[in-house]
Amino acid sequence: MKGQGLFAAALALVNVELVQAHTFIWGVFVNGVDQGTFRGMRVPAYNGPPPRGYANSPVKDVNSIDIRCNVLGDLQNPYTIKVQPGDNLTLDWKHNNRTNADDIIDFSHHGPILAYLSPDPPTENSFVKIFEKGKYEEGATPFAPGKWAISSELKANNGLMNVRIPAGLKAGHYLLRGELIALHEGDARFDQNPIRGAQFYPNCVQLEVVGDGTVELPKGVSFPGAYKVNDPGIHHDVYCSTKTTSLKVPCTSTYQIPGPTVWSGAWPDTTKVDVGPRSGPATATPWTRWISKSVVTSATIVGGSAQIIGSSTYQASWSANYATPTPVA
Ligand SMILES: [Cu+2]
């Protein structure tokens, strides 16, 4: 759903989204230098046979382990990105391919963008919010959604999201959890209407902070645990405005980003960084395994179509100890 105005609002009432590939982080630039496609990413599962694509999104159940780092978020990437306190990271959110022509995410996906940092592996209450941006302009016409970080900023900025490593952060292994929360169906609650509800796009990046910093992360929140289905920032009608009347409830135009407040040790502002060329593949090659609702389907790809050979169940299994990633041969 891409329009604006009354027509868009009417559609929003019945908009049931098909499960399609969605945006996720394809790569990270450190101080503008690309670290390579998929390097360091906990890449989400594919959500169907080719050409359905990456990003087994959206995650909609805030009580699911998938809310932590998306489906397959427990599986390590062979690479870890080395950073120093103060480094500027640019997360490269992409949809179908890692090029400037990519559409990033459908315009209908209004909502906030967020970033959390946790030691790797996460423990109880270890995710600390270091960045957030939500709604920054009220809708000017009836039922207009206003301006939001995802649809008016991240999308306009070609999917580039800047996050800065906190000053003096102690050396060690961390997970950076980038997240988009799309609220175009957020007027419904997932527990009451599971085909609608807010859509979460969490995605984690493996970092190793180096240097002689001494600052430790404070107590944070857990995923799952940090969000509740009825949080005002999750159960929220984006088509409701103080300048209009909405038939839908709850109707409030002020938007409160879910989760804890941003840690005082985080940088007060992110710095926009010019990024250099991307390195690594811009597209995904055909795949033979995908996961939908915890069912793993395996197939062979013959002449561009998938022939199913079996299925199993996926259950995330997060290790309590840091395991050094297995290098690729
Ligand atoms: Cu969506």
Side-chain angles (χ1 to χ4, degrees):
M1 197 195 70
K2 294 167 185 176
Q4 273 182 302
L6 277 169
F7 181 62
L11 273 180
L13 294 169
V14 294
N15 180 26
V16 174
E17 185 163 318
L18 297 172
V19 178
Q20 290 174 346
H22 275 95
T23 192
F24 80 105
I25 302 167
W26 284 58
V28 171
F29 300 84
V30 177
N31 300 321
V33 179
D34 184 30
Q35 304 299 298
T37 303
F38 303 148
R39 290 213 167 192
M41 307 307 116
R42 297 275 173 98
V43 180
Y46 294 102
N47 64 357
R52 295 291 288 283
Y54 275 117
N56 198 80
S57 300
V59 177
K60 294 208 289 188
D61 182 356
V62 294
N63 299 315
S64 152
I65 188 68
D66 299 338
I67 199 76
R68 183 176 291 175
C69 289
N70 216 315
V71 178
L72 296 186
D74 56 318
L75 295 191
Q76 280 187 310
N77 188 286
Y79 300 93
T80 298
I81 297 174
K82 271 202 171 81
V83 295
Q84 298 188 36
D87 277 351
N88 282 293
L89 271 55
T90 307
L91 312 182
D92 198 6
W93 294 87
K94 290 288 178 283
H95 180 189
N96 295 308
N97 55 71
R98 197 177 181 215
T99 72
N100 288 336
D102 187 63
D103 73 340
I104 315 302
I105 195 165
D106 188 88
F107 176 74
S108 64
H109 289 47
H110 308 295
I113 64 180
L114 310 87
Y116 294 81
L117 203 54
S118 165
D120 179 14
T123 55
E124 188 79 8
N125 296 320
S126 69
F127 282 93
V128 173
K129 191 187 272 181
I130 58 168
F131 168 78
E132 65 179 11
K133 186 153 189 191
K135 184 181 184 179
Y136 59 92
E137 198 177 304
E138 187 59 76
T141 56
F143 300 107
K147 290 201 170 160
W148 293 84
I150 297 177
S151 47
S152 293
E153 193 172 284
L154 185 74
K155 190 170 160 68
N157 198 24
N158 207 17
L160 301 178
M161 171 175 160
N162 293 298
V163 178
R164 205 166 169 192
I165 302 299
L169 188 66
K170 200 174 168 180
H173 292 277
Y174 293 85
L175 282 178
L176 173 63
R177 178 183 179 276
E179 180 178 38
L180 317 183
I181 306 177
L183 296 168
H184 54 301
E185 299 188 58
D187 58 297
R189 279 174 51 160
F190 173 75
D191 59 332
Q192 294 166 348
N193 182 358
I195 58 172
R196 301 187 71 243
Q199 305 182 349
F200 300 84
Y201 304 94
N203 212 182
C204 293
V205 181
Q206 295 168 196
L207 300 179
E208 183 182 2
V209 174
V210 298
D212 53 7
T214 55
V215 176
E216 296 197 35
L217 290 177
K219 182 174 180 234
V221 294
S222 297
F223 287 101
Y227 298 162
K228 298 279 173 279
V229 71
N230 60 348
D231 283 347
I234 290 169
H235 185 205
H236 180 88
D237 182 355
V238 292
Y239 299 103
C240 166
S241 161
T242 47
K243 297 181 180 175
T244 68
T245 311
S246 171
L247 300 176
K248 291 189 277 177
V249 288
C251 182
T252 170
S253 71
T254 52
Y255 180 70
Q256 186 188 331
I257 299 171
T261 53
V262 173
W263 172 39
S264 59
W267 293 91
D269 287 304
T270 57
T271 311
K272 193 173 176 197
V273 183
D274 290 330
V275 297
R278 298 187 179 97
S279 63
T283 56
T285 48
W287 52 97
T288 56
R289 197 174 72 125
W290 54 88
I291 301 176
S292 181
K293 295 187 164 64
S294 298
V295 177
V296 183
T297 303
S298 302
T300 50
I301 307 298
V302 181
S305 60
Q307 299 189 350
I308 312 289
I309 52 178
S311 68
S312 58
T313 304
Y314 163 69
Q315 255 184 323
S317 93
W318 283 81
S319 169
N321 303 305
Y322 183 77
T324 303
T326 311
V328 284

